[in-house]
Each structure stands twice: as C-alpha cells, then as structure tokens.
Amino acid sequence: MILQVLHGPHCDGTDIVRHGQTRQGQPRYRCREQPCAGRTFLLDYSYPGQSPAVKQQIVAMAMHASGIRDTARVLHVSTNTVMTE
Ligand SMILES: [Zn+2]
C-alpha cells in the first residue's frame, strides 16, 4: 500500500483532513495549516487548469510576478495554461 502524503496546494502544508466531497463525487480536502485557515481544495482535478480556484491562483501569482514556469510547477498545470490565463 502506498501512503500518499497530501500537500495543500496553497501552502504546501501537510496538515490536511478529508472534508466531504463535491457534487461530482470528488473528495474534498481542508488545509488546517495556519496560513490557509481552513481553505478547502480538491486533489483529483482531471485537469487542474480547468478549476476556477487554480485559475484564480494563476492570476494572483502572475500579479505577484511569479515566473510562468514557477506558477505552472506550483499549480501543476502547463505553462500554456498559465500564459492563457
Ligand atoms: Zn494550506
């Protein structure tokens, strides 16, 4: 059995708990790390670039002058997705 260590997409923290699921039946998680203050997120996007939360983050990171490559790496999306946003 492979133990999957969950990392929050916002802070990369590991204090993650299950938090129900979406209408589509995807497991939802909640980050209990201090900086996130209970933000919820999904792990199993078939394609992360499609999620509104990720798009928001792409824009936010771009505003803070993160490199496109860094943004793509952190958010697990392609550089094309970042540039499109
Ligand atoms: Zn977090």
Side-chain angles (χ1 to χ4, degrees), residues 18-64:
R18 275 294 295 272
H19 187 65
Q21 57 183 209
T22 67
R23 260 174 286 170
Q24 289 80 31
Q26 296 170 302
R28 186 193 297 276
Y29 296 88
R30 176 185 285 267
C31 178
R32 299 197 299 183
E33 299 283 349
Q34 200 69 38
C36 289
R39 287 177 81 165
T40 59
F41 64 95
L42 306 177
L43 280 187
D44 294 326
Y45 294 120
S46 49
Y47 183 59
Q50 298 293 342
S51 113
V54 169
K55 289 192 175 191
Q56 243 179 21
Q57 250 188 311
I58 290 172
V59 173
M61 290 182 74
M63 301 272 217
H64 288 91

Side-chain angles (χ1 to χ4, degrees), residues 6-21:
L6 303 179
H7 289 271
H10 314 299
C11 67
D12 207 30
T14 54
D15 191 2
I16 307 297
V17 294
R18 275 294 295 272
H19 187 65
Q21 57 183 209

